[in-house]
Amino acid sequence: MAAMLSLAVAPWGRPPVLLRNADVPHYAASTMKIAVLAAVHRSGLDPDRQVPVVNCFPSAAGGSYAHCRAEDGDPEPWARLGGTAPLGWLAERMVRHSSNLATSLCQSAVGHPAVAEVWRRAGASAASGSPRGIEDAAARAAGIDNTVTAHDLLRLLESLEPAVLAQLEHNAHAVDLAAGLPPGTRLASKNGWVDGVRHSAAVIHPPDAPPYVLAVCYTGPLANGQDADDPAARLLARLSSRVWARRHHLAQVA
């Protein structure tokens, strides 16, 4: 497997200061959940609205798909299968614990066009989008795929409302980019990984420098699909640490 590393860095609200392979598309993995979260926020739907918790969803290729419980790291939405759950709670599980089941329930609640509009409003390129559910295998086999670039992840984070960014501060997976920062550093982040893929994007708030945005996408053999014990995660942590060391200079370069 050939490796591709993409990176984008920008002071918050300023143009990028570093773009490396930043417009190369990668499989999005769970980073697409950022756009779903924004779509839920902008939908105007009551976060207390009760959503039926089911495991059958329309496929973008026709027919339907279901999630594999063993592939989902968050058991809480599965515990409500056959019942209901508040939409806001599902959105929180989607980004805090990266629940795949909660993601499809949120996507179904707002609709795929609303998620596409999030990418459009962010100014994302045609290389990024999330037209299918995260485990919609039939759609992927038909060439309908969720893809992203590091540059578009940066754009997406920059486009988010403060309330959405606040939800991303509760990401429980403090690995890759977060692991390269001093303990306790404030950040709003979302990562994603499967075998062969490790991505992470974050707004980082140093206590002694202006905030900045960092997005890294890696596709290659280092990514073993594990949560924390992943060589690719350690690579992203090293990159994060190097950017952190230059945090005082980022705004001067822009």
Side-chain angles (χ1 to χ4, degrees), residues 5 7 9 175-181 198 200 204 212 214 216 218 222-223 228 230-246:
L5 178 69
L7 183 145
V9 184
V175 293
D176 43 62
L177 298 186
L181 303 172
R198 168 67 66 163
S200 191
I204 299 162
Y212 62 91
L214 172 60
V216 184
Y218 172 82
L222 287 179
D230 178 8
R234 293 192 287 273
L235 171 62
L236 266 63
R238 292 195 296 273
L239 291 170
S240 180
S241 178
R242 291 182 181 182
V243 175
W244 173 268
R246 299 287 296 172

Side-chain angles (χ1 to χ4, degrees), residues 49-118:
R49 172 185 178 180
Q50 292 296 313
V51 175
V53 179
V54 299
N55 187 24
C56 184
F57 304 95
S59 169
S64 62
Y65 73 95
H67 289 283
C68 175
R69 189 169 189 162
E71 296 295 322
D72 197 332
D74 184 11
E76 293 300 319
W78 289 93
R80 301 197 182 200
L81 195 63
T84 63
L87 178 62
W89 182 84
L90 290 168
E92 186 266 340
R93 302 305 299 191
M94 173 177 65
V95 292
R96 183 189 288 261
H97 298 285
S98 209
S99 167
N100 291 338
L101 180 61
T103 301
S104 287
L105 291 167
C106 287
Q107 274 188 306
S108 295
V110 299
H112 286 284
V115 180
E117 176 63 11
V118 170

